[in-house]
Amino acid sequence: CLWTLAAVIRETLKDALVPRAGVLKKLLAPLDAVLEGFYSAILLHHFDSHLYTSPYSEATNTLISFIDLLEALLASRIELELPLRCQRILFLKVSYILNLISSSILYVIKKKFILLLKKCVLYKSREDAKSGSLFLQTPYLCEDMLALSNAVLQVVNLTWLNQIPLGGKSSYFGSSEAAPGDDSQGGSDQTVLRALSLVVLKALEFKIHNCATEAENK
């Protein structure tokens, strides 16, 4: 079901001949509350269980399908003037994903979540993309991006980055220590390193541009 819904959304976004906004709203509006419930139920699961230790397990495949659906929902957001709750939940409850990234879950899933976060911090509405302004024009998007930035900066201020591996069995953020038997140069996953750095920098940039007071800015 997750895979099918993601596929339908993607195909709708590719189809230039259909009124995409109307089709997406008709498809997603009845599922809005259900998808928000899925988000909480799936991402609050105990991912340190043996069900998630294999990349080929049914539980792992379900989680990967859900990440693909979240990506499709994010991509579809640009079509609706007022986004649905299921298209905003990724920003408003990003702490679930941040907790998962620093958990003992499979590296391939952590990487997919980190790259999804990168897409979130780079997301812009059509109006914002046209204006080129650093200040977001869309009210909901400004609120959502601020929620995401606050959550990211809150965990970064703790020890979150130190808990994130930069490779399946290699080094950790801020460390060049390679795993035993790893002959690669540093062993770091450069894609994840760049994505994580970008997420933190964009969160900081957005927060600074939206601080209420000079003291908060400092």
Side-chain angles (χ1 to χ4, degrees):
C1 290
L2 295 172
W3 183 91
T4 303
L5 183 55
V8 170
I9 293 171
R10 286 199 193 95
E11 290 304 312
T12 303
L13 293 174
K14 288 179 189 174
D15 196 338
L17 301 177
V18 301
R20 291 191 288 260
V23 171
L24 287 168
K25 194 167 185 180
K26 191 173 182 179
L27 172 69
L28 296 175
L31 296 172
D32 203 20
V34 175
L35 289 174
E36 183 176 356
F38 268 18
Y39 184 90
S40 301
I42 291 176
L43 299 188
L44 278 179
H45 213 51
H46 295 293
F47 291 105
D48 52 355
S49 78
H50 68 282
L51 295 174
Y52 297 91
T53 54
S54 167
Y56 309 108
S57 71
E58 185 178 350
T60 300
N61 285 332
T62 299
L63 188 53
I64 289 174
S65 294
F66 189 62
I67 297 171
D68 291 341
L69 175 58
L70 290 175
E71 287 182 356
L73 288 170
L74 177 65
S76 70
R77 175 174 176 150
I78 200 168
E79 300 294 337
L80 300 185
E81 190 173 335
L82 292 175
L84 297 168
R85 181 79 178 177
C86 64
Q87 294 169 313
R88 301 180 63 202
I89 196 70
L90 189 53
F91 295 82
L92 300 177
K93 292 188 178 180
V94 72
S95 59
Y96 292 12
I97 288 175
L98 297 174
N99 289 338
L100 267 179
I101 290 171
S102 61
S103 73
S104 58
I105 203 166
L106 281 168
Y107 179 73
V108 65
I109 294 175
K110 293 186 185 201
K111 184 170 181 174
K112 283 183 75 72
F113 272 127
I114 289 168
L115 296 178
L116 179 58
L117 279 182
K118 176 187 168 184
K119 290 180 181 179
C120 287
V121 297
L122 293 177
Y123 177 82
K124 284 189 175 180
S125 66
R126 285 205 175 99
E127 293 78 8
D128 292 315
K130 286 176 187 173
S131 72
S133 171
L134 286 172
F135 298 93
L136 299 178
Q137 311 297 315
T138 317
Y140 275 129
L141 183 55
C142 188
E143 179 188 334
D144 294 354
M145 203 66 82
L146 192 56
L148 184 145
S149 298
N150 284 335
V152 168
L153 294 175
Q154 189 174 4
V155 294
V156 167
N157 200 35
L158 302 173
T159 58
W160 184 73
L161 285 174
N162 298 333
Q163 300 170 50
I164 301 173
L166 293 178
K169 291 182 180 177
S170 51
S171 54
Y172 280 73
F173 198 99
S175 166
S176 58
E177 182 181 346
D182 187 353
D183 298 326
S184 59
Q185 296 296 316
S188 297
D189 186 331
Q190 296 301 305
T191 303
V192 169
L193 180 58
R194 285 193 298 270
L196 271 173
S197 300
L198 185 64
V199 167
V200 176
L201 286 171
K202 295 297 282 186
L204 192 59
E205 177 191 47
F206 190 78
K207 180 67 176 173
I208 287 171
H209 281 295
N210 290 273
C211 281
T213 64
E214 185 66 23
E216 188 183 5
N217 200 331
K218 287 179 181 179

